[in-house]
Amino acid sequence: MSVDKAIEVLKSNIDASAASYLDACVHCGQCAQACHFYENTGDVRYTPAYKMDLMRRVYKRHKAPLSGIKRAIGLVPDELTMDDLKEWEDLLYDSCTLCGRCTIVCPMGIDIAGMVRKSREGLVAAGVVPEDLISAAKRAIEFGSPLKITPDVLRKVCAKQEEEIGIPIPIDQEGADYLVILSAMEVLQFYEVIGAIAKIFRQAGVSWTISTDGYEATNIGIQMGDKDIARTLVGRIVGAAEKLKVKYVISPECGHAYSALKWEGPNLMGRAYDFEIIHMLELLDQLQAEGRIKLKGKDDRRLTFHDPCQIVRRGGVVEEPRRLMNMVSSNFVEMDNHGTANICCGGGGGVSSNSRAETLRLKAFASKKKQLDAVQPDALVTACANCRNVLEEAIDDYEMDMPVLGLTELVAEYLDETR
Amino acid sequence: MTFLEIVEGPLWTLASSVFLIGAAWRIFGIIRLGRKKDISIPRASALLGAIKGQFLHFVPHGGFSFRTRYHLIAGYMFHLGLFGLLIYAAPHVLFLKENVVGFEWVALPRWGFILTAEIAFTGLILLWIRRISDPVMIQLSDADDHIGSWLTFLTMLTGCMALQESHDSLRAVHMLFVDIWLIYMPFSRLMHSVTFMFSRGYTGAFFGRRGVVP
Ligand code: SF4
Ligand code: SF4
């Protein structure tokens, strides 16, 4: 039975860290206040700690120390049923963006986002996954991208950018130093970033390429909690990078792509890479520090920066975007709770690909709106194409007037091209 | 053997053994589950992160709402008060000297005891009121949470009643609750007093590898 498979996966996902989280949670409910889904609905089911309940029940019943004695006298939770899995499906997929904000308020420091990820793996084993994520995964496997960006589409988009900016965009070039990968949303909607990268790298003298074997940075397997799919998708990039013998793969402006490639990838592949992973923001910051890019002028609008959770709080790229913002902006203001305490856009962790969660996602955006309203920026800058898309949609829905910009593009805009 | 002799003699030995062995087993039970080695290349030290994590979560960050402030204040009142009583109440100093450590230290004066007890009781009652009135806590709480709160409350209450040492039976009732508390602890969420170090440590290590102090 598929529920048995789910229980098996949940059991095997309970390692020492998960056990300590489940043992340490004192049910204080402080995490509720950190979660934009609870905050904007007041629905107690959206309390972060409650989202760990499937794991808690399996742990208490099967794995907790002394659970044998308790089981013998009937003091353990009931075995999970299919109905339980279905009941938790929306909690785990629709109302958690894996943003990790709840952890910073939890007195026990419990990594609830990590626990939600582990729980999702159980639901995958039982086939209890939102339809949209399943079809996105199928497209990713079949076409190379959840948004059906095939190598042909990629070539065409690159050719168009090449034409527009008049700089060649190297494709499948063996021996280049850097491999650029892109998120589907960038290729589809924010393709100017490709031209921006070409401009910056030309000035900095960076040798780079795009590969038609491994170009898609998003990883639906990571979002769903399907390790096999996640491994296949990471494997494509690793394969492409090793085939082209690059020294670095640049993780683009995409939140979860960074954790998929940098932090989870080697563990999924079971080996270290022959190349290094660097985030685009880290590289831009480094090029600037080395004096390899020169900028001219600054944007004088009031700009603020939305921190993509997986790049900043859970990725560790915290100061780089700030240094870059100050390079291109003469009026950069920080929101309250910026950086590692930032509030999610509402669409991370696969929530934006899950159409049935749209209403909830837009409701959750109210927390972000509050943050924005307090600083009243003229424009919002971010470094994740998914955040950017989600923010644009929500800003539109809330009838706010605020363009959302990509940081890499902004850097390219102020490049001193006379150099 | 009088009731007091039982609760301070064989029952105390049994309770403290269950407590020590049970708590050790719980800790071993967590460690025994192990963790897969993380082979991603760390940006900074996981160990340092785990150490930082121990201190980081003493104060929540990310904006203080009413909920956070309430728990922070009530939580600290209760825990600091409880530790104050546990370690510095005069009868405890004496009991620990005679039964556990073999030496004594400066105990709280009577007014200090009363003040500390009032702080601890206020904190505990505030937390418990929250547990039975806040919809989020009602949703999360189970029998264990309530039993733990009540046992601690009754242990503290009987302790205050026994302070005068006016009647052996009052001391015996307090010792009985201490024994029950000790036996219950390893089987319950009261173990958070130890497991918090692990959970903070593992999360701290996660962030440490990434070079973040969240
Ligand atoms: S990780 Fe983010 S979305 Fe998920 S429960 Fe925590 S605060 Fe809510
Ligand atoms: S804040 Fe932490 S300890 Fe409190 S309920 Fe949430 S996860 Fe549990």
Side-chain angles (χ1 to χ4, degrees):
Chain A
M1 251 172 62
S2 46
V3 65
D4 293 336
K5 284 191 202 152
I7 294 167
E8 275 319 304
V9 170
L10 293 176
K11 264 162 67 179
S12 67
N13 275 354
I14 296 169
D15 59 3
S17 65
S20 70
Y21 296 151
L22 295 164
D23 266 338
C25 176
V26 282
H27 295 166
C28 68
Q30 289 195 64
C31 46
Q33 218 61 51
C35 183
H36 43 322
F37 290 103
Y38 168 76
E39 200 191 358
N40 297 296
T41 61
D43 185 342
V44 291
R45 288 176 75 246
Y46 296 147
T47 302
Y50 193 57
K51 294 170 190 167
M52 303 194 291
D53 218 51
L54 294 182
M55 295 281 274
R56 183 192 63 85
R57 283 170 59 183
V58 167
Y59 175 63
K60 297 277 171 203
R61 186 174 176 87
H62 296 282
K63 287 195 93 163
L66 308 175
S67 57
I69 302 177
K70 288 187 178 175
R71 203 167 39 236
I73 49 174
L75 282 180
V76 289
D78 291 339
E79 190 70 284
L80 295 184
T81 64
M82 202 58 176
D83 285 344
D84 293 323
L85 301 187
K86 286 187 181 144
E87 197 186 327
W88 256 263
E89 185 192 339
D90 77 305
L91 294 186
L92 295 169
Y93 283 107
D94 300 20
S95 72
C96 181
T97 52
L98 308 179
C99 75
R101 194 171 134 80
C102 39
T103 299
I104 64 173
V105 84
C106 171
M108 305 293 159
I110 295 170
D111 177 19
I112 295 160
M115 296 294 277
V116 168
R117 253 299 297 285
K118 288 182 168 180
S119 307
R120 285 185 183 184
E121 287 174 21
L123 293 198
V124 164
V128 185
V129 180
E131 206 43 57
D132 287 340
L133 297 191
I134 296 179
S135 37
K138 276 190 192 142
R139 289 192 298 273
I141 295 295
E142 197 175 331
F143 300 102
S145 156
L147 298 181
K148 285 197 183 176
I149 313 286
T150 59
D152 266 353
V153 173
L154 177 75
R155 271 196 203 94
K156 276 186 199 138
V157 173
C158 289
K160 188 111 195 298
Q161 278 294 296
E162 219 169 52
E163 208 181 290
E164 252 172 48
I165 55 160
I167 301 172
I169 292 173
I171 298 209
D172 291 330
Q173 221 161 78
E174 201 179 307
D177 288 339
Y178 291 86
L179 173 66
V180 167
I181 57 171
L182 298 156
S183 82
M185 194 58 76
E186 287 180 300
V187 183
L188 195 76
Q189 209 153 318
F190 307 119
Y191 40 79
E192 285 95 348
V193 76
I194 303 172
I197 294 170
K199 278 191 200 168
I200 298 170
F201 285 179
R202 184 177 66 170
Q203 190 182 92
V206 168
S207 112
W208 67 293
T209 186
I210 291 176
S211 159
T212 49
D213 292 327
Y215 51 90
E216 176 58 84
T218 61
N219 191 316
I220 187 76
I222 292 283
Q223 295 175 323
M224 267 169 89
D226 188 319
K227 275 191 179 157
D228 293 333
I229 295 180
R231 188 177 302 112
T232 305
L233 300 181
V234 168
R236 284 179 185 166
I237 298 168
V238 173
E242 289 178 351
K243 184 173 155 196
L244 296 177
K245 304 189 180 70
V246 296
K247 296 188 187 111
Y248 299 90
V249 172
I250 307 172
S251 188
E253 291 198 356
C254 170
H256 79 274
Y258 186 55
S259 45
L261 207 55
K262 170 128 181 125
W263 303 114
E264 300 199 38
N267 296 304
L268 286 165
M269 303 296 292
R271 67 178 173 90
Y273 305 146
D274 291 345
F275 50 88
E276 278 180 47
I277 303 292
I278 185 164
H279 193 271
M280 181 60 87
L281 299 181
E282 288 178 300
L283 180 59
L284 294 180
D285 184 50
Q286 186 187 314
L287 294 176
Q288 154 72 14
E290 290 167 357
R292 290 168 68 184
I293 47 175
K294 266 268 164 305
L295 303 183
K296 197 169 128 192
K298 283 186 177 185
D299 195 314
D300 58 11
R301 285 174 295 178
R302 192 171 165 82
L303 300 184
T304 193
F305 183 71
H306 164 75
D307 296 271
C309 310
Q310 305 302 327
I311 295 174
V312 181
R313 177 166 43 242
R314 292 177 75 81
V317 184
V318 187
E319 293 309 321
E320 291 85 344
R322 301 192 145 77
R323 283 196 288 268
L324 293 168
M325 281 301 295
N326 280 316
M327 268 164 52
V328 293
S329 165
S330 59
N331 196 0
F332 168 45
V333 282
E334 290 276 25
M335 287 180 266
D336 262 357
N337 290 322
H338 57 268
T340 54
N342 196 42
I343 294 170
C344 172
C345 65
V351 172
S352 64
S353 318
N354 179 4
S355 59
R356 74 169 189 216
E358 189 180 322
T359 314
L360 185 59
R361 159 165 70 86
L362 289 168
K363 251 191 197 163
F365 177 77
S367 300
K368 186 86 238 171
K369 182 176 183 301
K370 230 185 273 164
Q371 250 191 326
L372 287 166
D373 286 347
V375 289
Q376 299 278 333
D378 298 323
L380 174 59
V381 183
T382 191
C384 165
N386 185 53
C387 291
R388 194 170 165 189
N389 191 47
V390 166
L391 290 165
E392 278 182 351
E393 266 183 46
I395 284 172
D396 198 40
D397 192 73
Y398 280 74
E399 297 177 354
M400 297 157 72
D401 182 20
M402 189 187 299
V404 187
L405 318 170
L407 186 46
T408 306
E409 283 162 68
L410 202 59
V411 170
E413 209 179 305
Y414 289 94
L415 219 51
D416 180 0
E417 298 200 58
T418 55
R419 281 230 318 175
Chain B
M1 210 180 237
T2 64
F3 181 43
L4 180 63
E5 281 165 352
I6 293 174
V7 291
E8 284 195 346
L11 195 58
W12 160 257
T13 312
L14 175 78
S16 38
S17 311
V18 170
F19 168 76
L20 286 175
I21 296 168
W25 181 247
R26 279 283 289 270
I27 294 165
F28 171 73
I30 291 176
I31 297 170
R32 156 193 72 117
L33 293 171
R35 255 165 75 84
K36 262 204 187 141
K37 190 173 160 20
D38 189 341
I39 52 175
S40 64
I41 299 169
R43 187 179 281 126
S45 158
L47 179 66
L48 215 63
I51 296 168
K52 277 186 198 156
Q54 300 301 327
F55 300 98
L56 207 60
H57 297 274
F58 276 121
V59 183
H61 25 292
F64 290 82
S65 65
F66 170 74
R67 177 184 297 279
T68 322
R69 280 196 299 270
Y70 186 106
H71 280 268
L72 192 68
I73 295 167
Y76 273 109
M77 283 175 81
F78 165 61
H79 283 96
L80 292 177
L82 180 71
F83 287 124
L85 294 178
L86 197 64
I87 303 168
Y88 294 107
H92 289 174
V93 173
L94 217 62
F95 183 85
L96 291 171
K97 180 193 167 195
E98 279 164 15
N99 295 286
V100 188
V101 286
F103 56 87
E104 63 182 322
W105 51 92
V106 185
L108 277 172
R110 196 180 148 71
W111 64 266
F113 177 93
I114 291 170
L115 185 70
T116 314
E118 275 171 5
I119 292 172
F121 273 113
T122 311
L124 181 60
I125 291 167
L126 283 173
L127 289 175
W128 185 73
I129 290 175
R130 192 81 179 144
R131 197 172 281 293
I132 57 164
S133 62
D134 168 49
V136 167
M137 286 190 83
I138 293 173
Q139 172 85 7
L140 293 176
S141 302
D142 56 18
D144 184 14
D145 295 311
H146 295 287
I147 296 170
S149 301
W150 276 102
L151 258 184
T152 309
F153 177 77
L154 290 171
T155 310
M156 280 165 48
L157 186 70
T158 51
C160 287
M161 282 157 55
L163 182 67
Q164 297 285 29
E165 311 250 4
S166 57
H167 216 292
D168 266 2
S169 61
L170 289 177
R171 183 186 167 102
V173 172
H174 176 54
M175 274 311 293
L176 177 68
F177 275 104
V178 170
D179 292 341
I180 297 174
W181 194 97
L182 287 173
I183 292 172
Y184 184 69
M185 200 261 193
F187 296 93
S188 73
R189 200 163 288 118
L190 295 172
M191 273 295 289
H192 75 270
S193 49
V194 180
T195 49
F196 85 93
M197 284 182 266
F198 290 83
S199 75
R200 286 182 183 182
Y202 283 122
T203 297
F206 171 95
F207 284 112
R209 288 183 70 80
R210 287 156 174 75
V212 200
V213 184

